[in-house]
Amino acid sequence: MIEIELAQVFISKGERRIEACPFVDKGCRFTHRFCHLISGLCRHLSILAVSRHLGIRWETVKNIDKAYLMETLPALDPTQLAGLEYIGVDEVARAKGHDYMTVVYDMVGGHLIWVEAGRTAEVFSRFLKQLRPDTAHKIKAVSMDMGPAYQKAVRESLPMADIVFDRFHVMKNYSKAIHNQRRLEFRKADPSGKELMKGTHYLLLKNADKLNEKQSNKLQTLLESNSNLNTLYVLKEQLQALWSAPSFEGMSEQLENWCLIADQSHMLYLKKFAKSLRKHCVGICNYAKHKLTSARIEAGNVSIGMIRKRARGIRDTEYFKLKIRQSSIPDNQSMFYLKS
């Protein structure tokens, strides 16, 4: 703790002037460099850890970090964006089921270009409508999941751009179909069948080249004993092969053939998934035209997940939005004395 005496001049009754202090903001008890240190620590540690380390209140740490980020983060201004060809949009939550936000990435440059509270078509449209006409017209495709809200926004504001449903979400939905069917098969199985299926959920979802010998043998025994699970597993391998198709037409043909095989089964969850594939066929097969993946979005979501863990207990949506923006810029040293 450093105490500094500042000169005061009394102008008149009830009015005074205090000497300016360039390294401390008016009304603040902490220096600029100390606030910089706190914000730097909060990038990698929880607020509670920083609070205990520095011996100051949790609320003070959070408020200092928020104020510092508001002052120093570069603005995310859609009107200043240029040269965009491919963008990706996704939704993230401050906590599970709470305070959803829309995040937008430049899929070529790989950086965050916009974040706003809400996950509706109106929220994403707000971003798209702020783009300059010359920027909007050059966007070739938008990567997203299969939710209807963002699709609506793109069709209204970027009618010439293609929508690409990313592979990750397609396979995630198929994994749900496998999970539901396996649960159904478990209920129908006799005691020995139930014993065989225990601990096999991840084996059905994992790629064959990622399994060790013991896991491969266990999976093979399961597939030989259950024809429905065997069908689901074989179709999973064939579904992943769709993204190797050389053209939009070839991918569309393979997708339809896959759906025809699924239709011939007696598995309700598989048929429902095939119906969804047909509904989203164009967006899925647009991958062959643009080779656009969701890798950048998923990398951003991992970073946001870490923020969510460190910010546990925070209900300030605006602060969470600032932390997302901070994660998209390079880290700087947060020491007391910075290089000039």
Side-chain angles (χ1 to χ4, degrees):
M1 176 72 71
I2 299 176
E3 293 186 3
I4 301 175
E5 292 186 0
L6 301 176
Q8 299 185 48
V9 178
F10 289 88
I11 307 300
S12 61
K13 186 176 180 180
E15 185 180 359
R16 63 178 179 173
R17 296 287 186 272
I18 301 177
E19 178 185 1
C21 192
F23 53 86
V24 179
D25 287 334
K26 184 178 180 180
C28 182
R29 297 173 56 231
F30 303 100
T31 65
H32 294 157
R33 286 184 174 178
F34 188 61
C35 292
H36 180 83
L37 172 68
I38 289 176
S39 187
L41 291 175
C42 285
R43 180 162 185 163
H44 304 286
L45 302 172
S46 68
I47 295 176
L48 180 62
V50 177
S51 171
R52 288 176 174 174
H53 178 65
L54 299 177
I56 54 181
R57 295 172 66 244
W58 188 97
E59 292 81 2
T60 303
V61 172
K62 177 254 182 180
N63 291 335
I64 287 176
D65 188 28
K66 180 178 180 180
Y68 187 85
L69 293 177
M70 290 179 69
E71 181 180 348
T72 60
L73 284 178
L76 297 179
D77 186 0
T79 64
Q80 299 302 311
L81 294 173
L84 294 178
E85 290 187 7
Y86 297 108
I87 62 175
V89 59
D90 199 9
E91 61 183 45
V92 295
R94 177 184 56 79
K96 189 174 181 180
H98 296 279
D99 297 334
Y100 283 91
M101 296 186 180
T102 294
V103 290
V104 183
Y105 294 93
D106 175 0
M107 302 297 277
V108 177
H111 52 272
L112 182 78
I113 54 177
W114 201 67
V115 55
E116 189 55 76
R119 54 172 176 171
T120 63
E122 290 73 20
V123 171
F124 190 35
S125 292
R126 198 181 312 150
F127 164 78
L128 297 176
K129 289 176 180 177
Q130 291 182 68
L131 296 174
R132 298 200 307 261
D134 60 317
T135 299
H137 291 158
K138 292 179 181 178
I139 296 177
K140 298 177 182 177
V142 183
S143 175
M144 64 180 71
D145 62 22
M146 291 185 282
Y150 296 145
Q151 296 179 53
K152 179 183 177 183
V154 172
R155 292 189 180 109
E156 290 178 352
S157 302
L158 301 175
M160 302 303 293
D162 287 332
I163 292 173
V164 180
F165 298 129
D166 62 82
R167 175 179 177 174
F168 174 83
H169 284 96
V170 175
M171 296 309 301
K172 182 179 178 181
N173 288 343
Y174 188 66
S175 296
K176 291 179 181 177
I178 292 178
H179 170 75
N180 290 331
Q181 187 63 40
R182 177 187 170 276
R183 186 171 54 184
L184 190 61
E185 296 297 319
F186 186 86
R187 290 174 185 168
K188 296 189 300 182
D190 57 26
S192 61
K194 285 182 168 64
E195 187 63 30
L196 182 61
M197 273 190 267
K198 286 182 179 178
T200 59
H201 181 228
Y202 74 99
L203 298 179
L204 291 167
L205 302 180
K206 209 170 184 180
N207 291 335
D209 58 341
K210 302 295 183 181
L211 299 176
N212 58 38
E213 184 177 355
K214 182 179 178 181
Q215 292 171 334
S216 296
N217 292 337
K218 185 174 183 178
L219 175 62
Q220 189 61 36
T221 303
L222 173 67
L223 298 181
E224 289 174 356
S225 66
N226 191 300
S227 60
N228 283 343
L229 293 182
N230 183 63
T231 298
L232 286 171
Y233 188 80
V234 171
L235 286 177
K236 184 195 78 169
E237 301 294 312
Q238 294 179 1
L239 183 62
Q240 289 175 325
L242 284 179
W243 282 267
S244 301
S247 65
F248 177 90
E249 293 75 15
M251 193 169 179
S252 298
E253 183 179 354
Q254 290 183 35
L255 187 146
E256 179 57 28
N257 291 336
W258 191 96
C259 290
L260 290 173
I261 296 173
D263 289 340
Q264 293 171 9
S265 76
H266 301 289
M267 289 178 277
L268 175 62
Y269 294 111
L270 182 57
K271 289 183 176 182
K272 288 177 64 176
F273 178 78
K275 182 179 180 181
S276 176
L277 275 190
R278 283 194 174 101
K279 180 180 178 181
H280 299 96
C281 174
V282 174
I284 294 171
C285 296
N286 275 336
Y287 169 82
K289 293 169 60 177
H290 304 283
K291 306 299 182 183
L292 191 60
T293 72
S294 64
R296 181 60 192 90
I297 294 176
E298 296 310 317
N301 286 346
V302 170
S303 298
I304 293 170
M306 296 298 295
I307 294 171
R308 195 159 39 224
K309 289 182 179 179
R310 290 193 294 267
R312 189 169 295 158
I314 292 177
R315 299 183 179 180
D316 188 337
T317 302
E318 188 63 30
Y319 177 58
F320 185 63
K321 185 167 73 172
L322 290 168
K323 297 300 288 183
I324 293 174
R325 289 173 55 190
Q326 182 190 34
S327 70
S328 69
I329 62 174
D331 194 7
N332 293 317
Q333 271 190 318
S334 55
M335 301 300 294
F336 282 108
Y337 299 101
L338 305 177
K339 294 180 181 179
S340 57

